Amino acid sequence: MQWNRLCIGVGVAIAAAAGVTAAWSAVGVSSEALRGAVNVAGMRVHQTAWQGYATANGNTRASGTAGHELSAAYVVGQLDTGYFNVTEQRFDFPYFQELSDPVFKRILPLPVISYVVDDDFSTMQYSGTGGGVALMQAVDIVNPPSPTPSSTSGCEAADFAGFVAGRIALIQRGTCTFALKAQNAMAAGALAVIIFNEGQPGRTEALNGTLGGPIAIPVIGTSSAIGLALDDLADPVTVEVTTNTISQTRSTVNVIAETKIGRADRVVVAGAHLDSVAEGPGIQDNGSGSAAILEIARQMKILGVRPRNKVRFIWFGAEEAGLLGSEFYVAGLNARQIKNIAVNLNFDMIASPNFVPFVYDGDGSASAPAGPNGSKVVEDVFVRFLTRFYLPPQPTAFDGRSDYGPFIAVGIPAGGLFTGAEGLKTAGEAAQYGGTTGAAYDPCYHQACDDIGNTNDDIFEVMGDAAADAVLQFAMTTSAVNGTAQGGNRGTLADSLLFKGSHLRK
């Protein structure tokens, strides 16, 4: 079934005529007026403004740049201070940027092999700059890999016993973070570090990892095929690893707008990150989610919505640097403030050109881990709405790739919408939702072409409606989200997450 805008318009009209309201049976408030006011035309106005700021400032809106500062000021200017308490939460963060492509070569034994950046390897986020040519030394590698992920390569200082300072360390992905591996290598005197994927099914591609914070030496990630092949060589191996990066402390901001009325002990947090990557303007990632919650906020005021529970809209900074804005925000909450947040709704990329409508898998029925108690309620709100007015959505995992991560880490129920990033659309997905099999959900993900033309307006309309409906349902409910236990699993979910933003952490 291929959806079109006429189809959803007819579906809404039929539902309204039959007296059917939006999906959460525990609430059942009609969101028709708000959904009607939140539309693509309004959301595109905001995206157009942000495109202008990027164009005038190096084609980026990355946190720590003028493009992001202007984007944040625009959000503040759109918010009515008679309806919202508006605050700007400023914080310092480690800014990271690659100034030129890295180099990774096998020099000896001959022939020289030059590996291809992005295809064969990439610089890990927060890698140091420099490097050069040196002998390579393998560190506690399991070759061939064990059937299940279990390598502890580089996880302990003892792994580097006998490591010769000035060499380049070859380390296998495994059970501990990339940061710990790199820190141990640096302490042993490594000139640079190569971390390769472990080698089991699903853990073979070139690594795109984060170190979580600055490391003084170059660190790159590569595929299991390249790493295991280097380890297999009998002769002494000489490699070149060179990076050219900048890592410095900069300032950025979270913009927070909370309704002045509503219960303060059942706060609904609706969040989206406002920053882009350094490589592009980020009009889809995440100008789409940011525009949606801004338009929902504006239209709630215009319609005179009087929420029973406070609604707190947050436009996070430094998400692309590793969820740093949301981490900073959540870290600043005390135990009572955490308890007072009923739910976190996250909207990060909701207009992907080759989309699939994904909903976060709150109960973990299709993927691990499950969200905190109450997250299934959030999932059900989105699933029921999309199933009624569009097509059944697909589940997506809480894997740590967006700003829900710090919220679920302290036990706050969470959920949200996502339409896909660099993943490839399957034949089954194309048959159900249209689009191109085998192509990326967003072909301009984290690229310069993520501009004003990189938005599918049809799915943007659908997801904008779904977001508006969910915000209103939770804003108007008279009961707590079922089974919440904020703070009850502090840290445990965070430890299980594979990603920190768009980068693998271990």
Side-chain angles (χ1 to χ4, degrees), residues 124-125 153-155 160 171-186 193-198 203 205-213 215 219-222 498-500 502-506:
M124 288 210 171
Q125 187 183 40
S153 170
C155 294
F160 292 86
I171 302 176
Q172 189 173 26
R173 181 187 182 187
T175 57
C176 67
T177 63
F178 302 138
L180 181 57
K181 294 173 185 288
Q183 288 161 357
N184 285 336
M186 184 172 63
V193 178
I194 304 164
I195 303 177
F196 67 91
N197 217 339
E198 193 169 359
R203 293 168 75 93
E205 72 280 357
L207 292 175
N208 178 22
T210 183
L211 301 170
I215 296 288
V219 183
I220 63 169
T222 190
L498 282 177
F499 287 85
K500 192 174 182 187
S502 62
H503 297 275
L504 284 163
R505 59 185 288 270
K506 64 180 181 179

Side-chain angles (χ1 to χ4, degrees), residues 118 208 273 275-286 288 319-321 323 348-354 360 399-402 418-424 439-451 454-455 499-504:
D118 294 332
N208 178 22
H273 75 87
D275 61 314
S276 73
V277 293
E279 292 80 6
I283 302 305
Q284 208 285 106
D285 179 19
N286 183 36
S288 57
E319 189 270 357
E320 299 290 6
L323 313 184
D348 186 356
M349 302 180 65
I350 60 170
S352 307
N354 195 34
Y360 286 106
D399 56 8
R401 289 195 64 163
S402 195
F418 175 54
T419 51
E422 78 279 24
L424 303 181
Y441 302 120
D442 182 352
C444 288
Y445 176 67
H446 283 189
Q447 298 176 53
C449 58
D450 185 9
D451 57 22
N454 190 47
T455 296
F499 287 85
K500 192 174 182 187
S502 62
H503 297 275
L504 284 163

Side-chain angles (χ1 to χ4, degrees), residues 137-156:
Q137 186 167 342
V139 178
D140 193 25
I141 289 170
V142 179
N143 188 1
S146 62
T148 58
S150 57
S151 171
T152 60
S153 170
C155 294
E156 300 173 347

Side-chain angles (χ1 to χ4, degrees), residues 183-391:
Q183 288 161 357
N184 285 336
M186 184 172 63
L191 176 69
V193 178
I194 304 164
I195 303 177
F196 67 91
N197 217 339
E198 193 169 359
Q200 299 84 10
R203 293 168 75 93
T204 59
E205 72 280 357
L207 292 175
N208 178 22
T210 183
L211 301 170
I215 296 288
I217 59 176
V219 183
I220 63 169
T222 190
S223 67
S224 60
I226 290 173
L228 293 170
L230 288 171
D231 183 58
D232 278 337
L233 294 170
D235 296 328
V237 180
T238 300
V239 295
E240 178 182 0
V241 174
T242 306
T243 57
N244 183 17
T245 66
I246 182 172
S247 186
Q248 58 187 213
T249 299
R250 293 191 181 182
S251 174
T252 192
V253 66
N254 295 327
V255 177
I256 305 167
E258 182 175 273
T259 56
K260 291 189 173 182
I261 63 172
R263 287 183 58 161
D265 61 344
R266 287 187 186 153
V267 177
V268 180
V269 173
H273 75 87
L274 185 58
D275 61 314
S276 73
V277 293
E279 292 80 6
I283 302 305
Q284 208 285 106
D285 179 19
N286 183 36
S288 57
S290 289
I293 66 169
L294 180 55
E295 195 59 10
I296 292 167
R298 291 182 67 254
Q299 295 302 331
M300 283 180 62
K301 187 274 172 186
I302 291 169
L303 294 172
V305 174
R306 296 182 61 81
R308 292 192 179 101
N309 310 309
K310 286 183 180 292
V311 182
R312 186 179 302 158
F313 296 94
I314 309 180
W315 292 263
F316 292 109
E319 189 270 357
E320 299 290 6
L323 313 184
L324 300 186
S326 52
E327 282 189 344
F328 184 84
Y329 174 78
V330 172
L333 301 175
N334 60 35
R336 171 46 56 190
Q337 290 168 328
I338 291 171
K339 284 279 190 183
N340 285 346
I341 296 176
V343 65
N344 168 234
L345 306 176
N346 188 73
F347 306 104
D348 186 356
M349 302 180 65
I350 60 170
S352 307
N354 195 34
F355 68 89
V356 165
F358 290 110
V359 170
Y360 286 106
D361 185 18
D363 62 357
S365 59
S367 58
N373 293 335
S375 298
K376 184 182 187 305
V377 174
V378 187
E379 179 185 6
D380 287 347
V381 168
F382 288 118
V383 169
R384 292 176 187 173
F385 179 87
L386 289 169
T387 301
R388 175 163 291 167
F389 289 139
Y390 175 49
L391 286 174

